[in-house]
Amino acid sequence: MRTDIGNALGGEPALTRDALDELDADVAAAHERIAAGMADDEFGYAALNLPETADPERIRAAVEPFADSEAVLTVGIGGSALGAATLSNALASDIDAYYLDNVDPEHTTRLLDSLDLSRTAVNVVSNSGTTAETLSNFLVVREAMESAGVDWTERTFVTTGPEGNLRNLATKHDLPALDVPAGVPGRFSVLSTVGLAVAAIQGHDIDAVLAGAAAERERLAGSLYDSPAYAYGATTYALAQRGALTNAFMPYAESLETFAEWFAQLWAESLGKDGQGQTPARALGATDQHSQLQLYRAGPRDKLVTLVRPTERADRDIPETDLEGLSYLGGESLGTLLDAEFEATEASLTAADCPNVRLEIDRVDERGLGELLFGMEAACVCYGELADLSTFTQPAVEWGKKAARGLLGGGEFEEAEAVRGKDRLVVE
């Protein structure tokens, strides 16, 4: 992964090279703290050890019974689904991957009706084994399989913690079970059983994913000028301190659209605490040049734009044409056009004094994705250290979970009472 922070300097809000040089001492201290946490396998920091501690052979063995699958359906939510979806949506496979990561009844019904459940592997993912959305969806999936005459125990495996409902279910029905790694929050779990099982079923090279991540791990260093991950984490932190409280994350590859969703969860849930944080805004190049770019270039000066691209890709020629005004496109290619759009957007933002950062990988392949995923995780942890945040917790998310559970009769929670006491001003 390569990080170009040159266009983050001198814009509005203003960040100077001198300010980055001063911040570099804090990056060195942050790196010492991160390295110590990794060495002790502390909660959260253990995620940065996954390139070494993940067990790809164990993953392949667990999913081997599902080698005949035409599709794989993951039932999970948030970090239990987004990492796997990032990989499966970025990499081509003959085995389709689907995700039930919401409890919209119409969507769930449409999806289940569209699948041949007798040839579908079902992957149920929940660390606690008690996540209401995940277990509710799984009960619906199990019922659909039974109604279709499919033995759900032959088509299901679970990824979960050492105890809880899913672990008990796996034991009772002798289901293949993968362990969620200890000390790794869900949004940081893509490089583990949680994110790699679907990729293994699809036939992707999960060793290469981990190798790419390991390469980025080796590049962590005590200076932002020596580490692409820390360069990004430190620059985004410095800009947020100066008022760039929105981070528009804009990959220039259709295959990386889900990666932007994964990034949004990582950034928002990890850094949105104590009145701090940077709001991630998902965009897609070149599509959103025709919509969101207007705001980024000419709106309030409170934004950073992160542009992401592979430097190599399969290409397709644009046919010659005699249409007036379009002849210049003939003989070019779609890839050349997309690169021109990327560079034009970058230059446009810079000309308008909008800070922007370029992230690049060689290709959207297993190794490149490993580099990018690990790099963003390390950048996030670096930002959290610089901001003195509790990066690996999510108290606001837990509040909502308790409120929903109480409303459904799953216990007495004061959060549910707060929902019931909502003020209303209805206009009809």
Side-chain angles (χ1 to χ4, degrees):
M1 184 181 79
R2 295 172 294 280
T3 304
D4 183 351
I5 57 176
N7 286 342
L9 304 177
E12 187 182 350
L15 176 62
T16 66
R17 177 64 184 265
D18 287 344
L20 274 185
D21 290 344
E22 291 178 12
L23 182 61
D24 203 34
D26 294 330
V27 172
H31 175 62
E32 288 185 11
R33 174 70 187 98
I34 292 168
M38 292 167 64
D40 294 336
D41 228 23
E42 290 183 38
F43 178 79
Y45 300 98
L48 300 182
N49 291 329
L50 285 171
E52 291 184 354
T53 59
D55 187 348
E57 287 299 328
R58 173 75 183 90
I59 295 170
R60 282 189 285 266
V63 303
E64 196 279 330
F66 308 100
D68 65 338
S69 299
E70 295 178 353
V72 55
L73 172 62
T74 295
V75 184
I77 195 168
S80 294
L82 273 174
T86 295
L87 291 169
S88 64
N89 291 343
L91 302 169
S93 174
D94 293 333
I95 299 173
D96 294 325
Y98 302 92
Y99 295 87
L100 273 180
D101 58 353
N102 205 341
V103 287
D104 182 330
E106 293 182 344
H107 169 71
T108 299
T109 299
R110 283 195 301 268
L111 178 57
L112 293 177
D113 287 347
S114 72
L115 295 176
D116 179 355
L117 296 174
S118 68
R119 303 301 301 276
T120 300
V122 176
N123 174 27
V124 190
V125 187
S126 169
N127 184 19
S128 68
T130 61
T131 308
E133 297 92 340
T134 299
L135 294 184
S136 296
N137 271 334
F138 174 58
L139 292 174
V140 171
V141 171
R142 189 171 72 173
E143 180 184 60
M145 297 178 88
E146 290 172 343
S147 296
V150 177
D151 184 348
W152 67 271
T153 66
E154 296 294 322
R155 306 299 310 169
T156 301
F157 70 99
V158 304
T159 307
T160 191
E163 55 187 33
N165 293 329
L166 277 185
R167 181 62 64 177
N168 296 338
L169 184 77
T171 300
K172 178 179 179 180
H173 295 283
D174 195 27
L175 304 177
L178 286 166
D179 299 328
V180 171
V184 177
R187 60 191 176 277
F188 286 89
S189 65
V190 59
L191 299 170
S192 75
T193 52
V194 176
L196 297 177
V198 172
I201 290 177
Q202 290 187 297
H204 300 308
D205 187 349
I206 60 176
D207 293 281
V209 176
L210 293 170
E216 278 312 306
R217 184 180 186 272
E218 289 302 312
R219 299 177 75 186
L220 297 183
S223 170
L224 69 91
Y225 299 114
D226 295 327
S227 169
Y230 289 167
Y232 186 70
T235 300
T236 51
Y237 164 75
L239 284 168
Q241 292 297 105
R242 289 159 174 76
L245 298 179
T246 297
N247 186 342
F249 202 81
M250 195 171 187
Y252 273 70
E254 200 84 18
S255 58
L256 293 177
E257 187 170 14
T258 307
F259 169 68
E261 295 184 35
W262 173 87
F263 173 85
Q265 184 197 11
L266 178 77
W267 219 245
E269 194 170 0
S270 300
L271 304 175
K273 296 165 188 136
D274 302 335
Q276 298 192 66
Q278 197 176 48
T279 301
R282 302 196 298 267
L284 180 65
T287 301
D288 288 313
Q289 289 172 215
H290 297 266
S291 55
Q292 297 179 34
L293 184 60
Q294 175 65 37
L295 174 66
Y296 304 153
R297 195 176 191 276
R301 297 305 188 185
D302 59 355
K303 297 172 187 66
L304 158 70
V305 179
T306 300
L307 303 165
V308 188
R309 73 167 174 181
T311 56
E312 302 173 24
R313 69 178 102 219
D315 208 346
R316 184 158 187 156
D317 291 337
I318 301 172
E320 299 283 354
T321 179
D322 57 1
L323 292 174
E324 186 177 352
L326 295 180
S327 59
Y328 73 97
L329 294 173
E332 297 293 344
S333 70
L334 292 179
T336 301
L337 176 58
L338 189 58
D339 285 341
E341 299 277 11
F342 177 98
E343 292 172 10
T345 298
E346 186 179 58
S348 170
L349 292 166
T350 304
D353 290 329
C354 177
N356 57 92
V357 173
R358 177 193 292 205
L359 301 176
E360 290 181 331
I361 54 174
D362 291 339
R363 291 168 295 279
V364 180
D365 59 9
E366 288 92 338
R367 184 180 178 88
L369 288 166
E371 293 175 8
L372 205 50
L373 291 163
F374 184 91
M376 291 302 95
E377 289 183 352
C380 181
V381 177
C382 177
Y383 185 129
E385 295 293 333
L386 294 172
D388 195 25
L389 292 170
S390 179
T391 308
F392 305 112
T393 62
Q394 54 281 333
V397 174
E398 297 303 322
W399 195 101
K401 288 181 179 179
K402 291 177 182 178
R405 188 169 180 178
L407 292 172
L408 291 169
E412 295 295 326
F413 297 96
E414 63 182 24
E415 292 86 354
E417 294 306 315
V419 176
R420 295 187 182 100
K422 173 191 178 298
D423 292 333
R424 298 183 183 278
L425 179 56
V426 180
V427 179
E428 295 184 354

